[in-house]
Amino acid sequence: MIRVCPDYETLSEAAAEHIRSVGVEAVRERGRFDLVLSGGQTPRRAYDILAERTANDRSLWENTHVFWGDERCVPMNDPESNYLTGKRALLEPARIPRANVHPITARPPDEEAVAESYAQVFPAAPDLLILGMGVDGHTASLFPRSALLDESRKRFAFCLAPIEPKERITMTPGVIASARNVLVLVSGAEKAPALRRVFAPQGDLHETPARLLRHATWLVDGAAARELG
Ligand code: 6PG
């Protein structure tokens, strides 16, 4: 499902409501909401709105467990850390209990071991993955032509990205397939060509990894959608 919102603010409002409703339903049905964050700037406004509207919903946040779909191999207090972004934008404002937060501690030198042990703590069927897409069509840290696009054994793996910071740990396609819900947020005209390639009837996953997300819920703004037919 792809929904085009007039602008970034409306997209963020819709995303905040989507996250809230999936979370409330997961807690109602299973007593726990397993939420997976990605990096990137696009979800930040949605997190602000979400935290503003729900900070007092303690039954939601006390039963929410937060994971990451990818991480850059930088210290956890580095501005490039996906954990730090999530902490500032959502974990602190929503007052999510520390014990419910499960970061990828992507320390060198043994990133493969970190990836392997993260796969052990990561839920088998997370309730919601929140993902973005880069201008080159990457999602999480699955970049065009990455061998990990064909990985079927490991759930998380170390990779070298073509952009900085290069060293990363990322989930693999099987994790995306295991999620109960996937929400993709895309804003800005510079992403319009990649978005067109995602929804083109024919296309190559190795050229546009976000084609893995064609079944997801997409919230995109008008600028990003301008090349869609
Ligand atoms: C990362 C990401 C990455 C991100 C996209 C979109 O760690 O870099 O997980 O996949 O979500 O690059 O980023 P923006 O929202 O900043 O455009």
Side-chain angles (χ1 to χ4, degrees):
M1 193 271 279
I2 175 157
R3 175 163 155 207
V4 181
C5 303
D7 52 32
Y8 177 63
E9 186 63 17
T10 352
L11 176 156
S12 303
E13 294 253 346
E17 177 48 29
H18 187 89
I19 300 164
R20 190 199 64 79
S21 77
V22 172
V24 166
E25 198 180 315
V27 171
R28 193 187 310 125
E29 286 183 2
R30 290 179 290 284
R32 167 173 167 140
F33 176 34
D34 286 325
L35 171 64
V36 183
L37 308 183
S38 63
Q41 300 305 308
T42 311
R44 291 184 83 142
R45 180 69 189 131
Y47 295 156
D48 287 348
I49 297 170
L50 179 65
E52 250 166 55
R53 294 192 183 160
T54 59
N56 293 330
D57 186 348
R58 299 320 305 159
S59 90
L60 172 61
W61 296 121
E62 276 161 23
N63 292 300
T64 296
H65 284 255
V66 182
F67 299 84
W68 276 262
D70 72 322
E71 185 57 278
R72 293 102 179 258
C73 300
V74 296
M76 288 170 85
N77 58 0
D78 187 299
E80 293 280 8
S81 155
N82 289 344
Y83 163 74
L84 187 68
T85 305
K87 179 178 172 210
R88 294 210 171 126
L90 184 63
L91 312 184
E92 286 176 348
R95 291 179 281 122
I96 299 176
R98 271 183 90 96
N100 295 9
V101 177
H102 311 277
I104 304 175
T105 46
R107 280 183 307 269
D110 203 358
E111 293 92 345
E112 276 298 353
V114 172
E116 211 171 294
S117 53
Y118 198 66
Q120 310 297 318
V121 299
F122 194 85
D127 295 295
L128 180 61
L129 303 188
I130 303 173
L131 287 167
M133 178 183 74
V135 288
D136 59 356
H138 78 264
T139 190
S141 289
L142 294 168
F143 285 84
R145 286 164 287 284
S146 166
L148 290 179
L149 290 164
D150 298 314
E151 174 62 52
S152 56
R153 194 181 56 82
K154 298 178 190 165
R155 298 182 78 217
F156 280 80
F158 174 67
C159 64
L160 285 175
I163 56 174
E164 294 293 340
K166 289 198 162 58
E167 300 191 332
R168 298 172 181 225
I169 286 174
T170 186
M171 61 186 179
T172 62
V175 173
I176 296 173
S178 72
R180 293 175 195 269
N181 298 277
V182 179
L183 175 66
V184 194
L185 306 180
V186 183
S187 164
E190 68 284 7
K191 295 190 178 166
L195 193 61
R196 176 178 40 74
R197 295 201 306 278
V198 169
F199 287 101
Q202 307 291 326
D204 182 357
L205 185 69
H206 288 264
E207 186 198 355
T208 312
R211 284 180 68 88
L212 282 168
L213 311 173
R214 280 158 60 96
H215 67 287
T217 300
W218 289 71
L219 294 174
V220 309
D221 67 8
R226 68 184 186 177
E227 293 188 22
L228 294 178

